[in-house]
Amino acid sequence: MKIKWFFPGVISLVLIFLVSGGCNNKTSQTGKSSRPNIIYIMSDDHGYQALSCYNGQLNKTPNLDRIADEGVIFTRAFVTNSLCAPSRATLLTGKFSNKNGLYINRAGHNDFDGSQQTFPKLLQQAGYQTAIVGKWHLKSDPTGFDYWNILPGQGQYYNPDFIEMGQKKRIEGYVTTLITDYAIKWLKSRDKNIPFLLMVHEKAPHRPWMPDTTTFNLYEDEDFPVPDNYFDNYAGRRAAKEQKMSVIKDMDIAYDLKMVDKEGEIKTRYRKFMEGMLKRLTPAQRAAWDREYDPKIKAFKKMKLSGEMLAVWKLRRYLTDYLRCVASVDQNVGRLLDYLDSTGLSKNTIVVYSSDQGFYLGEHGYFDKRFMYEESFRTPLVMRYPGFERKGEIKELVQNIDFAPTFLDYAGAKIPEDIQGVSLKPLLENGNSPANWRKALYYHYYEFPSEHFTRRHYGIRTDRYKLIHFYYDFDEWEFFDLKNDPHEMKNLYQDPQYAAVIDRLKIRLDSLRTMYGDTLPDPEYISK
Ligand code: SGN
Ligand code: CA
């Protein structure tokens, strides 16, 4: 206002133009913008096997499929470090862990340095209003957001606490619905004259997979298919064998699978944690919960399962809860899409759905993530925007370092040199894929020793091959020919037939490490 009063006429128009971001901005004098809005939705631990648009046989996700049907589906989208906090830091910065400083989840080490450059800050500088609702998991308060309303830590499924701009409050309801309520509320209250970035970060379907009572009718008695490698013997793969994320051995019957019997006869290591979570439920929620689980508990106790029968029961019990959590995510994404359609926002809004990483749904006998094997290295990624020329499947290798530059590119903002990802715009705007797209991906996982005991490792993946180096307390390489062995069961590292391929891959791996600046030994603090 002051500026207008002080500099009348043409000068004030020029100033408004410059203050609002200059030529890149495409903001008209009325304040209306042709730059797209961006809604980035990220779930937590949603494996691509549990979206029907990825030909998943497990469930139906009509609303997530709608994004893919109206837009694009990436079938080779990957993360840099398959763990929550590191993925979030990569998303915000467009950089690998070794550059953004966030390597692991462990308490005390997942404080994101919020003073560094992030894409929401750059969008703000370019004239966007920015907001984030839902899981944050980066310890330090969000920076670069005009509005934030986050879950503390991992958050709770039922009646969760939210921290809204620094104020903590317990809110009654189911987390996925509440996050969507807040997202829509913010969309309604925002300044309608300037473009926005809204990040919607789900808690679901993270462990311990507590479904909403409204989904209890789904997947009852469903005989989910058991993956071919559920009973993997891990021959030739020591790190794959020595983990602690086995459904059979490590999944807790009371905590993970909700067999908290009233008689207290089912005594497990983590039972008390589920008991604690159930205390949060209102009497009505608890009554609905008990109506669902009590008969299951009774039947389970009666069956006295063991061996293979118990193993398969555990997997199906796990999948039922997991997929019910996914169903809530799908329904709530539908609510958000309906809101965008009904307000006309769909016309000028890029909608992205992804996860912080993939997840094992029994493949290799696992739950959890962390490994560079496909199920957790990959992540679902679907996007829609009327401005995309490309439709359908995109097979190019993309990674979560690419989000930041893509969003900046669409906003017409400058992409800083130090961002390590590349904009996906050339893939989305042309009918054909660019010839010079990346041909190999780099990965580095650090959190060991830790909860699921996944060894530190780094590696390279090309269209066809994968080479992984496990290091720290032992030194072992794994090599897979994904064309012949898509489920990564045969480590061919010692196979002389592949010696030349492996030598070449090692050279490419070294050059990726150099390119991404990841040549130093792991930072000292991780070892403590
Ligand atoms: C919790 C889970 C782990 C999970 C990590 C990281 N245990 O610690 O199973 O690997 O989160 O998940 S739980 O008993 O607390 O459920 S991440 O998505 O945040 O990286
Ligand atoms: Ca996660």
Side-chain angles (χ1 to χ4, degrees), residues 316-441:
R316 290 187 172 145
R317 179 82 283 287
Y318 158 46
L319 290 179
T320 304
D321 285 348
Y322 180 91
L323 295 172
R324 286 174 175 179
C325 292
V326 170
S328 292
V329 171
D330 183 71
Q331 285 160 16
N332 277 285
V333 168
R335 275 177 69 204
L336 202 52
L337 294 178
D338 288 347
Y339 178 79
L340 299 180
D341 287 350
S342 69
T343 50
L345 273 171
S346 293
K347 289 193 204 87
N348 196 29
T349 302
I350 297 174
V351 179
V352 179
Y353 180 85
S354 190
S355 175
D356 61 344
Q357 6 71 205
F359 212 66
Y360 295 96
L361 301 180
E363 301 85 0
H364 299 286
Y366 298 159
F367 65 102
D368 214 66
K369 51 261 177 178
R370 298 162 195 265
F371 279 108
M372 198 191 166
Y373 305 133
E374 291 294 275
E375 291 82 0
S376 50
F377 181 24
R378 263 180 73 183
T379 187
L381 178 59
V382 291
M383 294 187 190
R384 110 183 165 179
Y385 175 51
F388 294 162
E389 240 178 73
R390 189 88 172 258
K391 292 274 176 269
E393 184 179 346
I394 298 186
K395 287 187 189 159
E396 277 81 5
L397 298 170
V398 304
Q399 205 162 17
N400 54 348
I401 40 173
D402 300 333
F403 288 123
T406 304
F407 298 149
L408 291 169
D409 203 359
Y410 272 98
K414 194 171 167 295
I415 302 170
E417 290 281 310
D418 61 352
I419 284 191
Q420 296 184 307
V422 291
S423 169
L424 301 176
K425 210 171 169 192
L427 296 183
L428 297 163
E429 299 232 312
N430 302 312
N432 303 311
S433 31
N436 58 352
W437 195 256
R438 71 161 73 84
K439 302 275 185 290
L441 295 170

Side-chain angles (χ1 to χ4, degrees), residues 44-45 83-85 105 135 137 154 206-208 255 356-357 367-370 451-452:
D44 193 0
D45 293 358
L83 203 57
C84 186
N105 263 352
K135 186 172 174 186
H137 203 190
Q154 292 283 5
H206 191 275
R207 193 181 181 194
Y255 173 65
D356 61 344
Q357 6 71 205
F367 65 102
D368 214 66
K369 51 261 177 178
R370 298 162 195 265
E451 199 175 353
H452 293 288

Side-chain angles (χ1 to χ4, degrees), residues 44 86 169 463:
D44 193 0
K169 247 204 262 167
D463 192 37

